[in-house]
Amino acid sequence: QKEVEQDPGPLSVPEGAIVSLNCTYSNSAFQYFMWYRQYSRKGPELLMYTYSSGNKEDGRFTAQVDKSSKYISLFIRDSQPSDSATYLCAMRDTGGFKTIFGAGTRLFVKA
Amino acid sequence: GAVVSQHPSRVICKSGTSVKIECRSLDFQATTMFWYRQFPKQSLMLMATSNEGSKATYEQGVEKDKFLINHASLTLSTLTVTSAHPEDSSFYICSASGRTGFSYEQYFGPGTRLTVT
């Protein structure tokens, strides 16, 4: 079993839709949860960063962490074609240097 | 966020030659740098972790004599692919973590696409 599971998609939605991206994990020691966006042939870009459980909102993006279920989500409201990219979840335990990445979900937002 | 650059962005080399990729943190001091490899439509595979002034720690299955990593300063790390072969063709991405406002984040470079012919 992988430490972090993420559906690779692809996920295709119409412009303006609400997008829900999810990851599950098995290591209860994870405390730091991140979402990265990666455009084709580019390096990942940090989108959201959350410590422990709870919600965090930044513009059209909302990150949720449910540690009891070992489940994290990223919601994108009013999705735009420019949101088309691969979204990677990532997590790390306290004091650990190593970040564990999900496989990434490819998202296509159609105009 | 912090800026990390990589050079070159794309390189083509012949089989048997060596290629050096540079990773620089432009506006912060990177105490730790990571090197990843990414195959098409797959996630990041961590190759090694390096701390400034120390030897790199390689992940299981990564040949340290083939992938030489140097982290001589707080702003520069290099990855040298020695005696490259076509199977080494991949997208190599570095990331840096260090003394920024959010010390646990990793900031990624734009990646280097290596093609070995």
Side-chain angles (χ1 to χ4, degrees):
Chain A
Q1 182 189 10
K2 292 181 181 178
E3 278 193 284
V4 178
E5 297 277 1
Q6 183 176 12
D7 186 340
L11 176 64
S12 183
V13 301
E15 183 176 0
I18 296 175
V19 176
S20 173
L21 304 167
N22 312 292
C23 289
T24 59
Y25 62 96
S26 58
N27 188 346
S28 58
F30 287 143
Q31 293 282 357
Y32 298 92
F33 303 92
M34 287 77 73
W35 285 95
Y36 287 85
R37 176 175 63 196
Q38 185 176 22
Y39 291 111
S40 182
R41 300 175 185 270
K42 301 291 185 183
E45 168 196 11
L46 180 65
L47 268 182
M48 301 284 287
Y49 166 89
T50 310
Y51 173 74
S52 194
S53 283
N55 294 357
K56 188 172 185 178
E57 188 173 322
D58 184 1
R60 296 185 295 112
F61 298 90
T62 300
Q64 287 186 353
V65 175
D66 182 349
K67 291 193 67 182
S68 63
S69 301
K70 297 190 179 68
Y71 188 87
I72 70 171
S73 301
L74 177 70
F75 297 96
I76 307 174
R77 292 183 298 280
D78 187 24
S79 56
Q80 304 294 310
S82 58
D83 295 327
S84 298
T86 296
Y87 291 80
L88 300 107
C89 64
M91 44 202 80
R92 187 202 306 233
D93 59 23
T94 303
F97 278 118
K98 188 182 295 187
T99 301
I100 308 299
F101 287 87
T105 300
R106 296 182 72 198
L107 171 67
F108 295 96
V109 181
K110 297 182 179 179
Chain B
V3 179
V4 176
S5 70
Q6 258 183 267
H7 178 79
S9 59
R10 177 174 295 203
V11 58
I12 301 172
C13 71
K14 291 185 177 180
S15 185
T17 61
S18 295
V19 174
K20 180 185 283 188
I21 302 170
E22 289 187 351
C23 177
R24 293 182 184 273
S25 58
L26 299 184
D27 53 1
F28 71 104
Q29 293 181 319
T31 50
T32 304
M33 284 190 171
F34 307 84
W35 286 95
Y36 293 85
R37 186 172 178 175
Q38 188 176 35
F39 292 102
K41 300 183 181 181
Q42 294 190 26
S43 190
L44 303 165
M45 184 190 81
L46 180 64
M47 299 174 66
T49 302
S50 73
N51 293 298
E52 185 263 339
S54 303
K55 288 185 178 180
T57 301
Y58 290 81
E59 295 299 302
Q60 190 173 9
V62 178
E63 299 176 59
K64 62 180 180 181
D65 294 331
K66 181 170 185 60
F67 298 99
L68 301 178
I69 291 172
N70 183 280
H71 190 173
S73 77
L74 286 171
T75 59
L76 173 65
S77 176
T78 60
L79 167 68
T80 301
V81 183
T82 63
S83 187
H85 291 284
E87 56 266 30
D88 298 325
S89 298
S90 189
F91 193 50
Y92 292 87
I93 309 175
C94 72
S95 75
S97 178
R99 299 167 193 164
T100 69
F102 307 98
S103 60
Y104 285 102
E105 278 90 77
Q106 290 178 232
Y107 296 95
F108 285 85
T112 297
R113 184 159 301 281
L114 170 63
T115 303
V116 185
T117 61

